[in-house]
Amino acid sequence: AQSVTQLDSQVPVFEEAPVELRCNYSSSVSVYLFWYVQYPNQGLQLLLKYLSGSTLVKGINGFEAEFNKSQTSFHLRKPSVHISDTAEYFCAVSDGAAGNKLTFGGGTRVLVKP
Amino acid sequence: DADVTQTPRNRITKTGKRIMLECSQTKGHDRMYWYRQDPGLGLRLIYYSFDVKDINKGEISDGYSVSRQAQAKFSLSLESAIPNQTALYFCATSEVTGGIGELFFGEGSRLTVL
């Protein structure tokens, strides 16, 4: 069984400041890792994913995440946020064994203040 | 037009009523999913379908049923709605090959059971 823990439920941050969203997972097998973003009143869309290879993954809108196998973490970062980054962010894990079934974390709500 | 369309977008109903949420997609994907989103719990998988003849239970299928009427249509039913089924419901699709983990989401159906 897999599980995902997002350590912060809410992260307030000022515009142009950096932000880090923390994600830890547990799994008995190798995993694929993902970050999705949900803007207000919208569905989720993929920000980035780690499948294999380089542990530093770059995604859309200037976000990046680093896979750390020893710490079972996949933290999301952005060096300078914009008001438009206000959204909820979800970390998710898949073992790839049965299609694209994902296990999601509880979400982190980011509020960017001017 | 959206690639993944959910109807209705909002619904208020009473305990004991039967409710159907519908999902249609124009992405041509074989795989379709129904998730439920609750604050702090992230998204949890209710049912998924890898093709028209393949329906599978997710982690929280009790109280729900689904029908895959065609490749493009996947509906979720609550036979007798109860208040703790109040939630935001998402339909999603994915490809069979490639694009591991990338789900494409509809905009959600907000259901309130009084």
Side-chain angles (χ1 to χ4, degrees):
Chain A
Q2 305 162 125
S3 66
V4 179
T5 302
Q6 291 183 240
L7 298 166
D8 304 294
S9 59
Q10 293 189 68
V11 174
V13 57
F14 286 105
E15 193 174 17
E16 298 184 5
V19 70
E20 179 180 80
L21 308 184
R22 297 178 293 168
C23 172
N24 287 92
Y25 69 92
S26 67
S27 176
S28 58
V29 298
S30 297
V31 296
Y32 304 116
L33 293 157
F34 311 87
W35 277 98
Y36 280 80
V37 59
Q38 182 182 26
Y39 298 107
N41 300 313
Q42 295 186 26
L44 283 71
Q45 62 185 84
L46 184 67
L47 261 184
L48 49 78
K49 61 187 176 186
Y50 170 79
L51 305 181
S52 65
S54 173
T55 57
L56 183 63
V57 179
K58 294 190 182 298
I60 61 173
N61 300 337
F63 283 92
E64 64 180 30
E66 185 155 19
F67 170 56
N68 188 318
K69 187 175 182 179
S70 63
Q71 297 187 4
T72 60
S73 68
F74 190 53
H75 300 334
L76 180 71
R77 303 183 184 94
K78 185 169 182 177
S80 176
V81 296
H82 303 291
I83 296 290
S84 59
D85 292 321
T86 293
E88 190 158 18
Y89 294 79
F90 293 93
C91 183
V93 62
S94 168
D95 63 9
N100 292 344
K101 287 169 50 185
L102 297 184
T103 299
F104 286 86
T108 298
R109 193 173 297 276
V110 173
L111 176 60
V112 180
K113 302 176 181 179
Chain B
D1 289 340
D3 294 325
V4 183
T5 303
Q6 294 182 230
T7 56
R9 294 291 312 280
N10 287 282
R11 182 70 183 269
I12 300 173
T13 191
K14 295 182 179 180
T15 297
K17 294 292 187 181
R18 183 179 187 274
I19 294 295
M20 178 180 286
L21 305 180
E22 298 185 325
C23 177
S24 63
Q25 53 117 344
T26 58
K27 298 193 73 67
H29 292 167
D30 284 324
R31 296 182 174 183
M32 298 187 74
Y33 310 78
W34 275 105
Y35 281 90
R36 166 179 172 159
Q37 183 181 12
D38 297 278
L41 298 180
L43 280 76
R44 293 178 291 167
L45 184 62
I46 306 172
Y47 270 95
Y48 61 102
S49 170
F50 285 173
D51 64 43
V52 175
K53 298 180 180 179
D54 178 76
I55 303 288
N56 303 279
K57 292 182 177 180
E59 59 182 297
I60 55 164
S61 59
D62 287 349
Y64 301 95
S65 62
V66 291
S67 173
R68 186 81 183 266
Q69 301 94 325
Q71 186 211 34
K73 296 183 182 296
F74 192 39
S75 53
L76 176 72
S77 293
L78 289 68
E79 296 302 325
S80 180
I82 56 177
N84 75 2
Q85 291 178 313
T86 292
L88 183 56
Y89 292 84
F90 284 103
C91 175
T93 72
S94 70
E95 294 180 281
V96 174
T97 59
I100 295 173
E102 182 161 11
L103 299 179
F104 295 85
F105 286 84
E107 294 186 327
S109 295
R110 186 170 296 280
L111 177 65
T112 302
V113 183
L114 302 176

